[in-house]
Amino acid sequence: MVLTRRKPDPKVEISTAKTDWHPTILAGQIVLVSTQSSRGEPYAASKSWLTIVATNPPMLGLCCKLSHRTAINILETREFVINIPGEDLASRVWKAGDSVSAEAAGHDSAGWTFSPSTRVGPPRVLECRGHIECVLDSTKRFNEEEMIFFGRIVSVSVDESLLKGSTEERYRALRALVFLEPDLFTIIETPRKVDS
């Protein structure tokens, strides 16, 4: 595929608030984060503010509001699991919000099948296609409401079917969700190799 170079558009400064970006210019993958309380009660909530932050040791960063059950559980137990849902779970994942209103409405962990993790206490969500088990390494608080949790990756597992076919076919089979705006997502379905 040959892409033609287009003339750059004039640049326009916009708000620094991500909620004002239409389209968003920094999309994030949607995941289900599973945790458990200090009493062993499992919980799962959708998140999209996460990224790999180091390769040795393997670490990721997850941002969350301190008032959310996810943050409370991570601070109590120092462990969490990032579960990777596919497109088939989009509507269920959207309802798995992490707020007091979501918990009160029964949307917190209802209907998920929890399965034991291999290296941490919080369970994996069986319906998801991949799982990244993490132990809390450190945190950084940004304000009264938000904190980033740095998790050391201690185990990774995927559905066996995702290990078959070419790399491009594996991404198409994963059909990972990407958050764009509160009611808008896309999926990774057209992976392409860079022309050399």
Side-chain angles (χ1 to χ4, degrees), residues 159-181:
D159 288 355
E160 187 176 9
S161 62
L162 293 178
L163 300 178
K164 298 174 182 171
S166 69
T167 303
E168 293 89 343
E169 289 169 330
R170 294 176 188 199
Y171 277 103
R172 281 192 289 275
L174 179 61
R175 300 186 73 74
L177 303 173
V178 178
F179 180 88
L180 300 175
E181 299 195 24

mmCIF file with all atom_site columns, all heavy atoms in Angstrom, residues 159-181:
data_model
loop_
_atom_site.group_PDB
_atom_site.id
_atom_site.type_symbol
_atom_site.label_atom_id
_atom_site.label_alt_id
_atom_site.label_comp_id
_atom_site.label_asym_id
_atom_site.label_entity_id
_atom_site.label_seq_id
_atom_site.pdbx_PDB_ins_code
_atom_site.Cartn_x
_atom_site.Cartn_y
_atom_site.Cartn_z
_atom_site.occupancy
_atom_site.B_iso_or_equiv
_atom_site.pdbx_formal_charge
_atom_site.auth_seq_id
_atom_site.auth_comp_id
_atom_site.auth_asym_id
_atom_site.auth_atom_id
_atom_site.pdbx_PDB_model_num
ATOM 1   N N   . ASP A 1 159 ? -5.825  -16.672 25.798 1.00 0.00 ? 159 ASP A N   1
ATOM 2   C CA  . ASP A 1 159 ? -6.547  -17.810 25.232 1.00 0.00 ? 159 ASP A CA  1
ATOM 3   C C   . ASP A 1 159 ? -5.625  -18.532 24.257 1.00 0.00 ? 159 ASP A C   1
ATOM 4   O O   . ASP A 1 159 ? -4.933  -17.883 23.453 1.00 0.00 ? 159 ASP A O   1
ATOM 5   C CB  . ASP A 1 159 ? -7.796  -17.340 24.481 1.00 0.00 ? 159 ASP A CB  1
ATOM 6   C CG  . ASP A 1 159 ? -8.896  -16.861 25.414 1.00 0.00 ? 159 ASP A CG  1
ATOM 7   O OD1 . ASP A 1 159 ? -8.742  -16.969 26.651 1.00 0.00 ? 159 ASP A OD1 1
ATOM 8   O OD2 . ASP A 1 159 ? -9.919  -16.368 24.899 1.00 0.00 ? 159 ASP A OD2 1
ATOM 9   N N   . GLU A 1 160 ? -5.634  -19.836 24.292 1.00 0.00 ? 160 GLU A N   1
ATOM 10  C CA  . GLU A 1 160 ? -4.764  -20.627 23.424 1.00 0.00 ? 160 GLU A CA  1
ATOM 11  C C   . GLU A 1 160 ? -4.974  -20.300 21.948 1.00 0.00 ? 160 GLU A C   1
ATOM 12  O O   . GLU A 1 160 ? -4.030  -20.282 21.161 1.00 0.00 ? 160 GLU A O   1
ATOM 13  C CB  . GLU A 1 160 ? -5.013  -22.120 23.675 1.00 0.00 ? 160 GLU A CB  1
ATOM 14  C CG  . GLU A 1 160 ? -4.059  -23.031 22.962 1.00 0.00 ? 160 GLU A CG  1
ATOM 15  C CD  . GLU A 1 160 ? -4.278  -24.496 23.301 1.00 0.00 ? 160 GLU A CD  1
ATOM 16  O OE1 . GLU A 1 160 ? -5.287  -24.817 23.959 1.00 0.00 ? 160 GLU A OE1 1
ATOM 17  O OE2 . GLU A 1 160 ? -3.437  -25.314 22.895 1.00 0.00 ? 160 GLU A OE2 1
ATOM 18  N N   . SER A 1 161 ? -6.221  -19.997 21.574 1.00 0.00 ? 161 SER A N   1
ATOM 19  C CA  . SER A 1 161 ? -6.520  -19.697 20.168 1.00 0.00 ? 161 SER A CA  1
ATOM 20  C C   . SER A 1 161 ? -5.783  -18.457 19.665 1.00 0.00 ? 161 SER A C   1
ATOM 21  O O   . SER A 1 161 ? -5.575  -18.299 18.466 1.00 0.00 ? 161 SER A O   1
ATOM 22  C CB  . SER A 1 161 ? -8.028  -19.522 19.971 1.00 0.00 ? 161 SER A CB  1
ATOM 23  O OG  . SER A 1 161 ? -8.493  -18.420 20.740 1.00 0.00 ? 161 SER A OG  1
ATOM 24  N N   . LEU A 1 162 ? -5.365  -17.563 20.568 1.00 0.00 ? 162 LEU A N   1
ATOM 25  C CA  . LEU A 1 162 ? -4.655  -16.348 20.164 1.00 0.00 ? 162 LEU A CA  1
ATOM 26  C C   . LEU A 1 162 ? -3.195  -16.609 19.819 1.00 0.00 ? 162 LEU A C   1
ATOM 27  O O   . LEU A 1 162 ? -2.488  -15.698 19.404 1.00 0.00 ? 162 LEU A O   1
ATOM 28  C CB  . LEU A 1 162 ? -4.742  -15.291 21.263 1.00 0.00 ? 162 LEU A CB  1
ATOM 29  C CG  . LEU A 1 162 ? -6.135  -14.724 21.526 1.00 0.00 ? 162 LEU A CG  1
ATOM 30  C CD1 . LEU A 1 162 ? -6.089  -13.731 22.671 1.00 0.00 ? 162 LEU A CD1 1
ATOM 31  C CD2 . LEU A 1 162 ? -6.718  -14.082 20.281 1.00 0.00 ? 162 LEU A CD2 1
ATOM 32  N N   . LEU A 1 163 ? -2.745  -17.838 19.965 1.00 0.00 ? 163 LEU A N   1
ATOM 33  C CA  . LEU A 1 163 ? -1.367  -18.184 19.638 1.00 0.00 ? 163 LEU A CA  1
ATOM 34  C C   . LEU A 1 163 ? -1.265  -18.904 18.307 1.00 0.00 ? 163 LEU A C   1
ATOM 35  O O   . LEU A 1 163 ? -0.227  -19.472 17.979 1.00 0.00 ? 163 LEU A O   1
ATOM 36  C CB  . LEU A 1 163 ? -0.768  -19.044 20.760 1.00 0.00 ? 163 LEU A CB  1
ATOM 37  C CG  . LEU A 1 163 ? -0.730  -18.368 22.133 1.00 0.00 ? 163 LEU A CG  1
ATOM 38  C CD1 . LEU A 1 163 ? -0.179  -19.319 23.178 1.00 0.00 ? 163 LEU A CD1 1
ATOM 39  C CD2 . LEU A 1 163 ? 0.082   -17.076 22.085 1.00 0.00 ? 163 LEU A CD2 1
ATOM 40  N N   . LYS A 1 164 ? -2.346  -18.868 17.525 1.00 0.00 ? 164 LYS A N   1
ATOM 41  C CA  . LYS A 1 164 ? -2.371  -19.551 16.226 1.00 0.00 ? 164 LYS A CA  1
ATOM 42  C C   . LYS A 1 164 ? -2.465  -18.539 15.098 1.00 0.00 ? 164 LYS A C   1
ATOM 43  O O   . LYS A 1 164 ? -3.137  -17.521 15.221 1.00 0.00 ? 164 LYS A O   1
ATOM 44  C CB  . LYS A 1 164 ? -3.553  -20.522 16.172 1.00 0.00 ? 164 LYS A CB  1
ATOM 45  C CG  . LYS A 1 164 ? -3.459  -21.612 17.223 1.00 0.00 ? 164 LYS A CG  1
ATOM 46  C CD  . LYS A 1 164 ? -4.698  -22.475 17.246 1.00 0.00 ? 164 LYS A CD  1
ATOM 47  C CE  . LYS A 1 164 ? -4.575  -23.518 18.358 1.00 0.00 ? 164 LYS A CE  1
ATOM 48  N NZ  . LYS A 1 164 ? -5.806  -24.242 18.574 1.00 0.00 ? 164 LYS A NZ  1
ATOM 49  N N   . GLY A 1 165 ? -1.811  -18.841 13.979 1.00 0.00 ? 165 GLY A N   1
ATOM 50  C CA  . GLY A 1 165 ? -1.867  -17.972 12.802 1.00 0.00 ? 165 GLY A CA  1
ATOM 51  C C   . GLY A 1 165 ? -0.767  -16.931 12.826 1.00 0.00 ? 165 GLY A C   1
ATOM 52  O O   . GLY A 1 165 ? 0.069   -16.874 13.730 1.00 0.00 ? 165 GLY A O   1
ATOM 53  N N   . SER A 1 166 ? -0.789  -16.060 11.809 1.00 0.00 ? 166 SER A N   1
ATOM 54  C CA  . SER A 1 166 ? 0.203   -14.994 11.704 1.00 0.00 ? 166 SER A CA  1
ATOM 55  C C   . SER A 1 166 ? -0.043  -13.958 12.795 1.00 0.00 ? 166 SER A C   1
ATOM 56  O O   . SER A 1 166 ? -1.102  -13.926 13.428 1.00 0.00 ? 166 SER A O   1
ATOM 57  C CB  . SER A 1 166 ? 0.107   -14.331 10.328 1.00 0.00 ? 166 SER A CB  1
ATOM 58  O OG  . SER A 1 166 ? -1.116  -13.611 10.230 1.00 0.00 ? 166 SER A OG  1
ATOM 59  N N   . THR A 1 167 ? 0.924   -13.079 12.980 1.00 0.00 ? 167 THR A N   1
ATOM 60  C CA  . THR A 1 167 ? 0.773   -12.011 13.971 1.00 0.00 ? 167 THR A CA  1
ATOM 61  C C   . THR A 1 167 ? -0.463  -11.170 13.668 1.00 0.00 ? 167 THR A C   1
ATOM 62  O O   . THR A 1 167 ? -1.234  -10.843 14.570 1.00 0.00 ? 167 THR A O   1
ATOM 63  C CB  . THR A 1 167 ? 2.028   -11.119 13.989 1.00 0.00 ? 167 THR A CB  1
ATOM 64  O OG1 . THR A 1 167 ? 3.158   -11.943 14.261 1.00 0.00 ? 167 THR A OG1 1
ATOM 65  C CG2 . THR A 1 167 ? 1.926   -10.038 15.047 1.00 0.00 ? 167 THR A CG2 1
ATOM 66  N N   . GLU A 1 168 ? -0.666  -10.838 12.389 1.00 0.00 ? 168 GLU A N   1
ATOM 67  C CA  . GLU A 1 168 ? -1.836  -10.034 12.014 1.00 0.00 ? 168 GLU A CA  1
ATOM 68  C C   . GLU A 1 168 ? -3.127  -10.774 12.340 1.00 0.00 ? 168 GLU A C   1
ATOM 69  O O   . GLU A 1 168 ? -4.089  -10.180 12.836 1.00 0.00 ? 168 GLU A O   1
ATOM 70  C CB  . GLU A 1 168 ? -1.791  -9.692  10.518 1.00 0.00 ? 168 GLU A CB  1
ATOM 71  C CG  . GLU A 1 168 ? -0.658  -8.762  10.129 1.00 0.00 ? 168 GLU A CG  1
ATOM 72  C CD  . GLU A 1 168 ? 0.626   -9.519  9.771  1.00 0.00 ? 168 GLU A CD  1
ATOM 73  O OE1 . GLU A 1 168 ? 0.772   -10.714 10.105 1.00 0.00 ? 168 GLU A OE1 1
ATOM 74  O OE2 . GLU A 1 168 ? 1.507   -8.892  9.157  1.00 0.00 ? 168 GLU A OE2 1
ATOM 75  N N   . GLU A 1 169 ? -3.170  -12.084 12.069 1.00 0.00 ? 169 GLU A N   1
ATOM 76  C CA  . GLU A 1 169 ? -4.370  -12.878 12.361 1.00 0.00 ? 169 GLU A CA  1
ATOM 77  C C   . GLU A 1 169 ? -4.640  -12.924 13.865 1.00 0.00 ? 169 GLU A C   1
ATOM 78  O O   . GLU A 1 169 ? -5.790  -12.914 14.299 1.00 0.00 ? 169 GLU A O   1
ATOM 79  C CB  . GLU A 1 169 ? -4.208  -14.295 11.804 1.00 0.00 ? 169 GLU A CB  1
ATOM 80  C CG  . GLU A 1 169 ? -4.257  -14.350 10.297 1.00 0.00 ? 169 GLU A CG  1
ATOM 81  C CD  . GLU A 1 169 ? -3.834  -15.708 9.739  1.00 0.00 ? 169 GLU A CD  1
ATOM 82  O OE1 . GLU A 1 169 ? -2.997  -16.405 10.373 1.00 0.00 ? 169 GLU A OE1 1
ATOM 83  O OE2 . GLU A 1 169 ? -4.337  -16.060 8.659  1.00 0.00 ? 169 GLU A OE2 1
ATOM 84  N N   . ARG A 1 170 ? -3.597  -12.950 14.654 1.00 0.00 ? 170 ARG A N   1
ATOM 85  C CA  . ARG A 1 170 ? -3.769  -12.985 16.106 1.00 0.00 ? 170 ARG A CA  1
ATOM 86  C C   . ARG A 1 170 ? -4.393  -11.686 16.623 1.00 0.00 ? 170 ARG A C   1
ATOM 87  O O   . ARG A 1 170 ? -5.254  -11.706 17.499 1.00 0.00 ? 170 ARG A O   1
ATOM 88  C CB  . ARG A 1 170 ? -2.426  -13.234 16.783 1.00 0.00 ? 170 ARG A CB  1
ATOM 89  C CG  . ARG A 1 170 ? -1.868  -14.611 16.483 1.00 0.00 ? 170 ARG A CG  1
ATOM 90  C CD  . ARG A 1 170 ? -0.495  -14.792 17.086 1.00 0.00 ? 170 ARG A CD  1
ATOM 91  N NE  . ARG A 1 170 ? 0.109   -16.044 16.644 1.00 0.00 ? 170 ARG A NE  1
ATOM 92  C CZ  . ARG A 1 170 ? 1.116   -16.625 17.274 1.00 0.00 ? 170 ARG A CZ  1
ATOM 93  N NH1 . ARG A 1 170 ? 1.636   -16.083 18.353 1.00 0.00 ? 170 ARG A NH1 1
ATOM 94  N NH2 . ARG A 1 170 ? 1.605   -17.756 16.808 1.00 0.00 ? 170 ARG A NH2 1
ATOM 95  N N   . TYR A 1 171 ? -3.962  -10.543 16.078 1.00 0.00 ? 171 TYR A N   1
ATOM 96  C CA  . TYR A 1 171 ? -4.571  -9.269  16.475 1.00 0.00 ? 171 TYR A CA  1
ATOM 97  C C   . TYR A 1 171 ? -6.034  -9.204  16.048 1.00 0.00 ? 171 TYR A C   1
ATOM 98  O O   . TYR A 1 171 ? -6.886  -8.709  16.786 1.00 0.00 ? 171 TYR A O   1
ATOM 99  C CB  . TYR A 1 171 ? -3.806  -8.078  15.882 1.00 0.00 ? 171 TYR A CB  1
ATOM 100 C CG  . TYR A 1 171 ? -2.599  -7.698  16.687 1.00 0.00 ? 171 TYR A CG  1
ATOM 101 C CD1 . TYR A 1 171 ? -1.323  -8.061  16.264 1.00 0.00 ? 171 TYR A CD1 1
ATOM 102 C CD2 . TYR A 1 171 ? -2.716  -6.984  17.872 1.00 0.00 ? 171 TYR A CD2 1
ATOM 103 C CE1 . TYR A 1 171 ? -0.202  -7.724  17.000 1.00 0.00 ? 171 TYR A CE1 1
ATOM 104 C CE2 . TYR A 1 171 ? -1.609  -6.638  18.616 1.00 0.00 ? 171 TYR A CE2 1
ATOM 105 C CZ  . TYR A 1 171 ? -0.346  -7.016  18.176 1.00 0.00 ? 171 TYR A CZ  1
ATOM 106 O OH  . TYR A 1 171 ? 0.760   -6.679  18.920 1.00 0.00 ? 171 TYR A OH  1
ATOM 107 N N   . ARG A 1 172 ? -6.321  -9.700  14.843 1.00 0.00 ? 172 ARG A N   1
ATOM 108 C CA  . ARG A 1 172 ? -7.723  -9.703  14.389 1.00 0.00 ? 172 ARG A CA  1
ATOM 109 C C   . ARG A 1 172 ? -8.581  -10.588 15.282 1.00 0.00 ? 172 ARG A C   1
ATOM 110 O O   . ARG A 1 172 ? -9.730  -10.272 15.565 1.00 0.00 ? 172 ARG A O   1
ATOM 111 C CB  . ARG A 1 172 ? -7.806  -10.146 12.932 1.00 0.00 ? 172 ARG A CB  1
ATOM 112 C CG  . ARG A 1 172 ? -7.444  -9.043  11.945 1.00 0.00 ? 172 ARG A CG  1
ATOM 113 C CD  . ARG A 1 172 ? -7.812  -9.398  10.517 1.00 0.00 ? 172 ARG A CD  1
ATOM 114 N NE  . ARG A 1 172 ? -6.969  -10.428 9.945  1.00 0.00 ? 172 ARG A NE  1
ATOM 115 C CZ  . ARG A 1 172 ? -5.791  -10.223 9.362  1.00 0.00 ? 172 ARG A CZ  1
ATOM 116 N NH1 . ARG A 1 172 ? -5.308  -8.991  9.279  1.00 0.00 ? 172 ARG A NH1 1
ATOM 117 N NH2 . ARG A 1 172 ? -5.091  -11.214 8.873  1.00 0.00 ? 172 ARG A NH2 1
ATOM 118 N N   . ALA A 1 173 ? -8.039  -11.698 15.747 1.00 0.00 ? 173 ALA A N   1
ATOM 119 C CA  . ALA A 1 173 ? -8.785  -12.596 16.635 1.00 0.00 ? 173 ALA A CA  1
ATOM 120 C C   . ALA A 1 173 ? -8.989  -11.979 18.014 1.00 0.00 ? 173 ALA A C   1
ATOM 121 O O   . ALA A 1 173 ? -10.026 -12.166 18.641 1.00 0.00 ? 173 ALA A O   1
ATOM 122 C CB  . ALA A 1 173 ? -8.055  -13.934 16.757 1.00 0.00 ? 173 ALA A CB  1
ATOM 123 N N   . LEU A 1 174 ? -8.018  -11.212 18.493 1.00 0.00 ? 174 LEU A N   1
ATOM 124 C CA  . LEU A 1 174 ? -8.131  -10.566 19.805 1.00 0.00 ? 174 LEU A CA  1
ATOM 125 C C   . LEU A 1 174 ? -9.259  -9.543  19.822 1.00 0.00 ? 174 LEU A C   1
ATOM 126 O O   . LEU A 1 174 ? -10.027 -9.456  20.769 1.00 0.00 ? 174 LEU A O   1
ATOM 127 C CB  . LEU A 1 174 ? -6.804  -9.904  20.177 1.00 0.00 ? 174 LEU A CB  1
ATOM 128 C CG  . LEU A 1 174 ? -6.746  -9.170  21.514 1.00 0.00 ? 174 LEU A CG  1
ATOM 129 C CD1 . LEU A 1 174 ? -7.017  -10.110 22.673 1.00 0.00 ? 174 LEU A CD1 1
ATOM 130 C CD2 . LEU A 1 174 ? -5.401  -8.480  21.674 1.00 0.00 ? 174 LEU A CD2 1
ATOM 131 N N   . ARG A 1 175 ? -9.358  -8.730  18.777 1.00 0.00 ? 175 ARG A N   1
ATOM 132 C CA  . ARG A 1 175 ? -10.400 -7.694  18.654 1.00 0.00 ? 175 ARG A CA  1
ATOM 133 C C   . ARG A 1 175 ? -10.479 -6.823  19.911 1.00 0.00 ? 175 ARG A C   1
ATOM 134 O O   . ARG A 1 175 ? -11.537 -6.614  20.499 1.00 0.00 ? 175 ARG A O   1
ATOM 135 C CB  . ARG A 1 175 ? -11.751 -8.297  18.303 1.00 0.00 ? 175 ARG A CB  1
ATOM 136 C CG  . ARG A 1 175 ? -11.720 -9.050  16.974 1.00 0.00 ? 175 ARG A CG  1
ATOM 137 C CD  . ARG A 1 175 ? -13.069 -9.538  16.519 1.00 0.00 ? 175 ARG A CD  1
ATOM 138 N NE  . ARG A 1 175 ? -13.944 -8.490  16.036 1.00 0.00 ? 175 ARG A NE  1
ATOM 139 C CZ  . ARG A 1 175 ? -13.816 -7.862  14.864 1.00 0.00 ? 175 ARG A CZ  1
ATOM 140 N NH1 . ARG A 1 175 ? -12.839 -8.165  14.052 1.00 0.00 ? 175 ARG A NH1 1
ATOM 141 N NH2 . ARG A 1 175 ? -14.675 -6.940  14.506 1.00 0.00 ? 175 ARG A NH2 1
ATOM 142 N N   . ALA A 1 176 ? -9.312  -6.316  20.321 1.00 0.00 ? 176 ALA A N   1
ATOM 143 C CA  . ALA A 1 176 ? -9.209  -5.511  21.544 1.00 0.00 ? 176 ALA A CA  1
ATOM 144 C C   . ALA A 1 176 ? -10.005 -4.214  21.416 1.00 0.00 ? 176 ALA A C   1
ATOM 145 O O   . ALA A 1 176 ? -10.065 -3.601  20.356 1.00 0.00 ? 176 ALA A O   1
ATOM 146 C CB  . ALA A 1 176 ? -7.745  -5.214  21.835 1.00 0.00 ? 176 ALA A CB  1
ATOM 147 N N   . LEU A 1 177 ? -10.595 -3.807  22.533 1.00 0.00 ? 177 LEU A N   1
ATOM 148 C CA  . LEU A 1 177 ? -11.397 -2.586  22.593 1.00 0.00 ? 177 LEU A CA  1
ATOM 149 C C   . LEU A 1 177 ? -10.507 -1.378  22.857 1.00 0.00 ? 177 LEU A C   1
ATOM 150 O O   . LEU A 1 177 ? -9.596  -1.434  23.685 1.00 0.00 ? 177 LEU A O   1
ATOM 151 C CB  . LEU A 1 177 ? -12.421 -2.684  23.732 1.00 0.00 ? 177 LEU A CB  1
ATOM 152 C CG  . LEU A 1 177 ? -13.380 -3.864  23.697 1.00 0.00 ? 177 LEU A CG  1
ATOM 153 C CD1 . LEU A 1 177 ? -14.199 -3.897  24.987 1.00 0.00 ? 177 LEU A CD1 1
ATOM 154 C CD2 . LEU A 1 177 ? -14.296 -3.758  22.496 1.00 0.00 ? 177 LEU A CD2 1
ATOM 155 N N   . VAL A 1 178 ? -10.807 -0.279  22.180 1.00 0.00 ? 178 VAL A N   1
ATOM 156 C CA  . VAL A 1 178 ? -10.081 0.971   22.390 1.00 0.00 ? 178 VAL A CA  1
ATOM 157 C C   . VAL A 1 178 ? -11.094 2.064   22.718 1.00 0.00 ? 178 VAL A C   1
ATOM 158 O O   . VAL A 1 178 ? -12.042 2.300   21.969 1.00 0.00 ? 178 VAL A O   1
ATOM 159 C CB  . VAL A 1 178 ? -9.250  1.361   21.137 1.00 0.00 ? 178 VAL A CB  1
ATOM 160 C CG1 . VAL A 1 178 ? -8.547  2.688   21.360 1.00 0.00 ? 178 VAL A CG1 1
ATOM 161 C CG2 . VAL A 1 178 ? -8.246  0.263   20.810 1.00 0.00 ? 178 VAL A CG2 1
ATOM 162 N N   . PHE A 1 179 ? -10.904 2.728   23.856 1.00 0.00 ? 179 PHE A N   1
ATOM 163 C CA  . PHE A 1 179 ? -11.790 3.793   24.320 1.00 0.00 ? 179 PHE A CA  1
ATOM 164 C C   . PHE A 1 179 ? -11.519 5.071   23.541 1.00 0.00 ? 179 PHE A C   1
ATOM 165 O O   . PHE A 1 179 ? -10.378 5.503   23.410 1.00 0.00 ? 179 PHE A O   1
ATOM 166 C CB  . PHE A 1 179 ? -11.553 4.043   25.813 1.00 0.00 ? 179 PHE A CB  1
ATOM 167 C CG  . PHE A 1 179 ? -12.407 5.124   26.398 1.00 0.00 ? 179 PHE A CG  1
ATOM 168 C CD1 . PHE A 1 179 ? -13.653 4.834   26.901 1.00 0.00 ? 179 PHE A CD1 1
ATOM 169 C CD2 . PHE A 1 179 ? -11.960 6.438   26.451 1.00 0.00 ? 179 PHE A CD2 1
ATOM 170 C CE1 . PHE A 1 179 ? -14.453 5.827   27.455 1.00 0.00 ? 179 PHE A CE1 1
ATOM 171 C CE2 . PHE A 1 179 ? -12.740 7.444   26.996 1.00 0.00 ? 179 PHE A CE2 1
ATOM 172 C CZ  . PHE A 1 179 ? -13.998 7.137   27.499 1.00 0.00 ? 179 PHE A CZ  1
ATOM 173 N N   . LEU A 1 180 ? -12.586 5.672   23.035 1.00 0.00 ? 180 LEU A N   1
ATOM 174 C CA  . LEU A 1 180 ? -12.473 6.964   22.362 1.00 0.00 ? 180 LEU A CA  1
ATOM 175 C C   . LEU A 1 180 ? -13.119 8.064   23.200 1.00 0.00 ? 180 LEU A C   1
ATOM 176 O O   . LEU A 1 180 ? -12.499 9.063   23.513 1.00 0.00 ? 180 LEU A O   1
ATOM 177 C CB  . LEU A 1 180 ? -13.117 6.900   20.974 1.00 0.00 ? 180 LEU A CB  1
ATOM 178 C CG  . LEU A 1 180 ? -12.504 5.870   20.009 1.00 0.00 ? 180 LEU A CG  1
ATOM 179 C CD1 . LEU A 1 180 ? -13.296 5.813   18.712 1.00 0.00 ? 180 LEU A CD1 1
ATOM 180 C CD2 . LEU A 1 180 ? -11.041 6.169   19.749 1.00 0.00 ? 180 LEU A CD2 1
ATOM 181 N N   . GLU A 1 181 ? -14.393 7.874   23.552 1.00 0.00 ? 181 GLU A N   1
ATOM 182 C CA  . GLU A 1 181 ? -15.141 8.830   24.367 1.00 0.00 ? 181 GLU A CA  1
ATOM 183 C C   . GLU A 1 181 ? -16.112 8.046   25.231 1.00 0.00 ? 181 GLU A C   1
ATOM 184 O O   . GLU A 1 181 ? -16.278 6.840   25.030 1.00 0.00 ? 181 GLU A O   1
ATOM 185 C CB  . GLU A 1 181 ? -15.875 9.821   23.464 1.00 0.00 ? 181 GLU A CB  1
ATOM 186 C CG  . GLU A 1 181 ? -14.930 10.636  22.600 1.00 0.00 ? 181 GLU A CG  1
ATOM 187 C CD  . GLU A 1 181 ? -15.586 11.846  21.968 1.00 0.00 ? 181 GLU A CD  1
ATOM 188 O OE1 . GLU A 1 181 ? -16.596 12.343  22.505 1.00 0.00 ? 181 GLU A OE1 1
ATOM 189 O OE2 . GLU A 1 181 ? -15.075 12.303  20.940 1.00 0.00 ? 181 GLU A OE2 1
#
